[in-house]
Amino acid sequence: MSIDIEFINLIIPKEILEEKYDGGVNKFKTDCPNKSFREDDSLVRVGFMNNNDLYNFLDLVTTNGLEYKDESTTDFVIINTLSGLSWEVNWVEHNFCSCWKKKVF
């Protein structure tokens, strides 16, 4: 499956949220600051219109257990629909309109 993306997107594997985020996927969903939460079987997405809102939410996300250091992490990725991935991760693919969990063979 895939998740539609638009503008600035925070993408997180559900397994990471269940493992590291205080309260798991359900708590993450209630913590989202807007109504852009989307999910498929493997990933969740929250969208933002500007970087300030994104980075304010990242403060909460890291407080609740996810790692983000030196503008990079394997816990999540940011996808901008104009410029693509903010850093490389080996678990997601996208086409600037949607994203999906990369299949590992």
Side-chain angles (χ1 to χ4, degrees):
M1 291 182 61
S2 66
I3 300 173
D4 290 340
I5 59 175
E6 55 188 2
F7 305 110
I8 304 165
N9 306 270
L10 177 64
I11 309 296
I12 309 171
K14 285 183 171 180
E15 63 195 35
I16 294 292
L17 287 174
E18 291 300 336
E19 177 185 323
K20 294 185 173 185
Y21 196 83
D22 186 28
V25 173
N26 289 332
K27 178 69 166 91
F28 179 84
K29 186 175 182 177
T30 62
D31 287 346
C32 288
N34 57 45
K35 296 180 181 183
S36 68
F37 179 87
R38 302 289 182 269
E39 65 183 314
D40 67 7
D41 293 337
S42 303
L43 301 173
V44 301
R45 174 260 184 195
V46 180
F48 299 92
M49 297 285 289
N50 64 69
N51 284 327
N52 287 336
D53 291 343
L54 167 68
Y55 286 105
N56 286 335
F57 187 59
L58 286 180
D59 288 341
L60 175 66
V61 167
T62 56
T63 299
N64 281 300
L66 299 187
E67 296 177 23
Y68 182 60
K69 185 176 179 182
D70 301 324
E71 297 187 15
S72 182
T73 183
T74 58
D75 286 353
F76 59 85
V77 72
I78 298 165
I79 302 175
N80 183 306
T81 54
L82 297 176
S83 58
L85 297 172
S86 293
W87 57 85
E88 292 297 318
V89 293
N90 63 1
W91 47 262
V92 73
E93 294 181 304
H94 73 95
N95 62 7
F96 293 97
C97 295
S98 60
C99 70
W100 56 94
K101 181 98 184 246
K102 187 183 283 188
K103 292 184 178 165
V104 179
F105 297 98

